[in-house]
Amino acid sequence: MKNDKDHLNVLGDSINHAKDKLNPKKPQKNESSVAFRIVSDLIAGVLVGFLVGYNLDGYFDTFPTFFLICFAMGIAGSAMNIYRCFANKG
Amino acid sequence: MANGHSPLDQFKIKYLTEAPDVFGYNLNFTNSSLFMAVAVVLICAFVVLAMRKKELVPGRFQSMAEMSYELIEDMINQTVGPDGRKYSSLIFSIFMFILFCNLLGMLPYSFTVTSHIAVTFSFALFVFLLLTVITFVRHGTKTIALFVPKGTPGWLIPLVFFVEVFAYLARPVSLSIRLAANMMAGHTMMKVIAGFVVPLGILAGWAPILLISAITGFEIFVAIIQAYIFTLLTCAYLNDAINLH
């Protein structure tokens, strides 16, 4: 029984090996989904910066100090996310 | 445009029950809830029925169920590593639910649950909060390393920290916007093009029909790819939570 299992394992390994040879793993790039990803990252960062800043200002009554700071940070944050999106694809 | 023919009419929430408000909350059962329930039932039926026989040489349905499981398993192994395997049931549930909701939305007269940002954002927020808790539980005070990349010069640390915090907070928002916008855009486009058929008459009306057939195929592809991307990014964030970059 154990022998059978070994045989199966060997067979499985060689099948996997052959499969890898047939289709080497290349990162599947889908241009439209990348574009959508970047757009949503861009919107999200700005939106979060705006919301956080605006609400902090409402809380401390300091408009537009936090709004401007957080807005800039949000834009930087979305730039960071977009950069990562490309860097990971590398 | 006549009432009921707007391309955005398909996204309207309709109440199917008339329950009274409970503590000021509207707890009516809506068409959205109905399709979520249908998706859950279909997923359970699909997985349970497909795996009922458990044959060594899988049949059609069994291999579909196995393939979807292996897809998630491979994804977790590649992006997170062995530590992520205990979260595979969570990731699998998220993938299947979004996939089924997206695909159910492709049926005529159905409702696309994932086209509503309320649904996708609750999803993304749930994932985000869960991963934040996992990060804190696993790493405690070392979590701060997530917000200060290695090799940051000392004087830049405060700035980079806040930028990273905003980048982190933007994650659930971008996850949810992406899914909802993709589903909504596709479905609206289909309805708009379908609206051209009758005005163009019997001669030219065929052109939009051909276009819709092509777009329907593309939309099914988008439905699958968006479920995949949502899951893939969840895995990427899980990797951050477990391995801190």
Side-chain angles (χ1 to χ4, degrees):
Chain A
M1 196 63 202
K2 199 188 164 202
N3 218 355
D4 279 357
K5 233 180 186 177
D6 285 347
H7 277 303
L8 277 181
N9 280 339
V10 171
L11 183 65
D13 283 346
S14 52
I15 288 174
N16 282 338
H17 197 68
K19 265 188 191 167
D20 285 350
K21 261 189 182 170
L22 271 178
N23 29 335
K25 275 179 187 160
K26 47 190 171 191
Q28 285 194 341
K29 281 190 182 173
N30 181 307
E31 301 301 329
S32 75
S33 69
V34 172
F36 240 112
R37 196 178 157 183
I38 288 163
V39 169
S40 61
D41 272 337
L42 199 62
I43 297 171
V46 176
L47 199 69
V48 168
F50 164 75
L51 286 177
V52 170
Y54 196 75
N55 284 314
L56 275 181
D57 270 335
Y59 192 72
F60 294 114
D61 211 8
T62 50
F63 188 81
T65 322
F66 280 112
F67 173 73
L68 290 176
I69 295 172
C70 293
F71 199 61
M73 292 281 187
I75 293 171
S78 55
M80 196 84 111
N81 277 341
I82 291 167
Y83 168 73
R84 288 235 174 84
C85 173
F86 281 117
N88 288 344
K89 287 215 166 254
Chain B
M1 217 168 240
N3 202 17
H5 291 283
S6 153
L8 295 177
D9 249 26
Q10 52 177 326
F11 303 120
K12 250 185 203 155
I13 298 274
K14 290 175 196 129
Y15 296 131
L16 302 178
T17 55
E18 285 175 16
D21 283 6
V22 182
F23 301 113
Y25 290 102
N26 185 345
L27 296 182
N28 273 311
F29 196 77
T30 63
N31 50 353
S32 180
S33 346
L34 175 69
F35 275 94
M36 281 191 231
V38 170
V40 171
V41 171
L42 279 181
I43 294 167
C44 294
F46 168 62
V47 178
V48 170
L49 291 180
M51 296 309 290
R52 197 180 40 178
K53 283 187 190 161
K54 294 200 194 78
E55 286 171 26
L56 193 61
V57 181
R60 244 174 250 154
F61 278 100
Q62 191 183 338
S63 61
M64 268 160 75
E66 282 178 5
M67 264 165 67
S68 45
Y69 176 74
E70 276 165 13
L71 176 79
I72 302 301
E73 190 79 3
D74 284 350
M75 193 194 286
I76 293 174
N77 278 336
Q78 280 169 15
T79 49
V80 189
D83 274 355
R85 291 192 64 166
K86 58 179 156 186
Y87 302 103
S88 62
S89 48
L90 171 79
I91 307 277
F92 183 70
S93 319
I94 290 176
F95 173 71
M96 290 304 265
F97 187 73
I98 295 177
L99 181 70
F100 271 68
C101 285
N102 288 353
L103 289 178
L104 271 179
M106 290 308 299
L107 295 176
Y109 296 103
S110 67
F111 178 83
T112 321
V113 179
T114 41
S115 65
H116 280 257
I117 205 145
V119 175
T120 56
F121 187 68
S122 337
F123 244 134
L125 197 65
F126 165 71
V127 169
F128 173 79
L129 291 178
L130 182 75
L131 292 183
T132 310
V133 170
I134 289 174
T135 320
F136 271 105
V137 168
R138 281 185 84 101
H139 301 286
T141 50
K142 277 190 214 152
T143 308
I144 215 145
L146 198 62
F147 301 109
V148 184
K150 265 182 205 152
T152 314
W155 59 277
L156 262 180
I157 285 179
L159 181 68
V160 169
F161 177 77
F162 281 109
V163 170
E164 285 282 351
V165 167
F166 274 98
Y168 188 71
L169 289 178
R171 281 173 175 187
V173 181
S174 97
L175 258 185
S176 53
I177 288 179
R178 184 177 314 119
L179 180 56
N182 258 298
M183 298 320 291
M184 207 178 138
H187 284 254
T188 313
M189 187 166 70
M190 279 170 73
K191 284 275 157 105
V192 168
I193 294 172
F196 289 149
V197 175
V198 176
L200 281 178
I202 200 141
L203 285 178
W206 296 100
I209 293 184
L210 288 178
L211 195 58
I212 294 172
S213 317
I215 289 178
T216 307
F218 179 69
E219 279 307 309
I220 292 175
F221 168 72
V222 168
I224 296 170
I225 207 93
Q226 283 306 317
Y228 181 76
I229 287 179
F230 194 101
T231 324
L232 188 69
L233 285 175
T234 307
C235 279
Y237 299 155
L238 182 65
N239 178 38
D240 280 357
I242 289 179
N243 303 324
L244 290 182
H245 282 303

